[in-house]
Amino acid sequence: MTTDLTEITVVGGDKTGLIARVTSLLFERGINIEDLDQAVRDDIFRMTLHADTSEMVCKEKTLRDDLQDLGDELGVDVQVRFPADRETQQIAVLATKESHCLERLFQAWASGDLGADISVVIANHDDLEPLAEKYDVPFHDVGDEKGTPDEGEILELLSEYDADLIVLARYMRILSPDVVFRFEDRIINIHPSLLPAFPGAKAYRQALEEGVRIAGVTAHYVTTDLDQGPIITQRAFDVPDDADIATMKERGQPLEADALLEAVRLHLNGDVSVHRGRTKLREQSERYQLGLSREARDANPDRPVDGLGEIVAGSAENGD
């Protein structure tokens, strides 16, 4: 979806006529709907609209207020994001205890190489608070003594800090549809396996137990289906014969940080789009490493290819 469209998200209880009420309001204001997607999960309804508001017959504030009033009437939450809402996008990072991904994001931000501001770190433990303090970024611990997060507080913080993108930097909790539906294609997670292999918890251990020779990591958009969202970037590494969990983390964690940062950059620059559950680059560019490095690709053999062998080709030419 192009970045010059306005995104309207509706989340709440499923009600008859809801879609018609929203679309009629937009039509009356001269707004053309380019794309509409809806879903229901765990009794929560979500509708995401992308619309051309360049020729609408009202001001942005009026449209926002009208949609908010309609949402209040219907008992649903309505969010509106215009293309030029801000020049610098705001990132909310969700984390638990592992620091490597958060540290890599902070480094890129501090060097001016991120293209957005990290406005807040939200975690379900307080272990990473010193790291956030080092970079003078607000930190909020929303977990109880067992690390169970308060999702209501998470949503309040995401609204308070006006998050454009949510980055899960090894956040070891599953987000409910109430959160995911509000940020469609705007939540990026890093998972320590080459998805779709080894989804869920303890992915490195799963890979070891299955005896894989090559393991890896995957940055992907979050959906309501665990570890099944559209894949953005992947990285791979060899698994030695004597590998243990420590070895896997030592080899995998730098790649986790690298793949996550690259996925975030792709999203922020508007260089990646999602269509039918699959991501694609809007414009092919050598600066992005979605999978193997150039060195790894160059090391792969390019022959033989089925049907291109000299004997088979010669036989076909001779009519044998």
Side-chain angles (χ1 to χ4, degrees):
M1 191 57 57
T2 56
T3 56
D4 58 351
L5 297 178
T6 295
E7 181 181 89
I8 301 169
T9 304
V10 180
V11 178
D14 194 7
K15 292 179 174 61
T16 302
L18 192 156
I19 296 176
R21 294 287 301 276
V22 175
T23 55
S24 295
L25 185 152
L26 298 179
F27 177 76
E28 293 167 358
R29 288 152 183 76
I31 297 170
N32 186 44
I33 298 172
E34 300 287 345
D35 178 75
L36 186 154
D37 183 60
Q38 60 175 311
V40 177
R41 189 69 176 261
D42 296 341
D43 297 324
I44 297 176
F45 169 82
R46 185 268 304 164
M47 176 174 67
T48 302
L49 282 164
H50 291 94
D52 183 357
T53 55
S54 60
E55 297 182 4
M56 66 181 179
V57 294
C58 65
K59 295 181 179 180
E60 290 185 356
K61 183 180 185 306
T62 301
L63 177 62
R64 202 187 296 272
D65 290 344
D66 288 348
L67 285 170
Q68 183 62 60
D69 290 343
L70 180 60
D72 291 343
E73 177 186 340
L74 297 174
V76 295
D77 178 55
V78 182
Q79 299 179 16
V80 183
R81 299 177 68 245
F82 292 102
D85 272 348
R86 64 169 57 83
E87 293 182 1
T88 302
Q89 297 187 72
Q90 303 297 312
I91 295 176
V93 181
L94 270 60
T96 295
K97 293 184 177 183
E98 296 182 12
S99 65
H100 55 287
C101 287
L102 177 59
E103 186 171 7
R104 186 68 184 92
L105 290 167
F106 274 147
Q107 290 172 348
W109 176 51
S111 64
D113 192 31
L114 188 58
D117 280 339
I118 299 177
S119 58
V120 63
V121 175
I122 304 170
N124 59 321
H125 292 279
D126 62 3
D127 299 59
L128 300 181
E129 186 170 6
L131 184 57
E133 289 178 347
K134 175 184 176 181
Y135 288 91
D136 197 26
V137 172
F139 180 93
H140 295 269
D141 177 5
V142 298
D144 61 15
E145 63 278 1
K146 295 182 178 180
T148 302
D150 183 337
E151 280 206 343
E153 187 175 355
I154 291 177
L155 286 172
E156 290 177 0
L157 290 168
L158 294 176
S159 176
E160 176 184 345
Y161 288 95
D162 210 8
D164 295 291
L165 176 66
I166 302 171
V167 180
L168 307 187
R170 298 299 285 137
Y171 179 65
M172 307 302 288
R173 291 286 177 167
I174 298 173
L175 294 174
S176 76
D178 199 27
V179 177
V180 175
F181 277 168
R182 297 168 193 270
F183 296 89
E184 186 81 4
D185 295 336
R186 289 195 286 136
I187 307 175
I188 297 177
N189 181 48
I190 185 68
H191 183 75
S193 81
L194 290 172
L195 291 174
F198 313 128
K202 300 181 179 179
Y204 285 147
R205 182 174 299 279
Q206 291 183 60
L208 277 178
E209 291 174 349
E210 292 296 328
V212 302
R213 290 299 184 180
I214 296 177
V217 305
T218 302
H220 65 97
Y221 285 113
V222 173
T223 65
T224 54
D225 295 313
L226 179 63
D227 294 332
Q228 296 183 43
I231 291 170
I232 310 173
T233 58
Q234 292 185 301
R235 300 287 187 271
F237 61 90
D238 283 327
V239 180
D241 289 341
D242 59 351
D244 55 15
I245 296 298
T247 304
M248 299 289 281
K249 289 185 176 181
E250 182 180 350
R251 295 194 173 201
Q253 286 182 349
L255 297 181
E256 292 173 25
D258 183 69
L260 180 61
L261 176 60
E262 193 73 0
V264 168
R265 285 175 174 153
L266 280 162
H267 177 93
L268 293 172
N269 292 338
D271 288 316
V272 66
S273 62
V274 179
H275 181 65
R276 294 182 178 178
R278 181 180 175 88
T279 58
K280 60 181 291 188
L281 286 176
R282 298 188 191 280
E283 296 180 2
Q284 294 295 335
S285 175
E286 287 297 319
R287 58 183 173 150
Y288 292 123
Q289 181 192 335
L290 299 185
L292 294 175
S293 66
R294 179 180 297 178
E295 293 79 9
R297 291 196 302 269
D298 290 345
N300 283 335
D302 60 2
R303 290 293 186 274
V305 177
D306 185 46
L308 298 183
E310 294 180 1
I311 295 177
V312 175
S315 297
E317 292 175 0
N318 296 329
D320 295 342

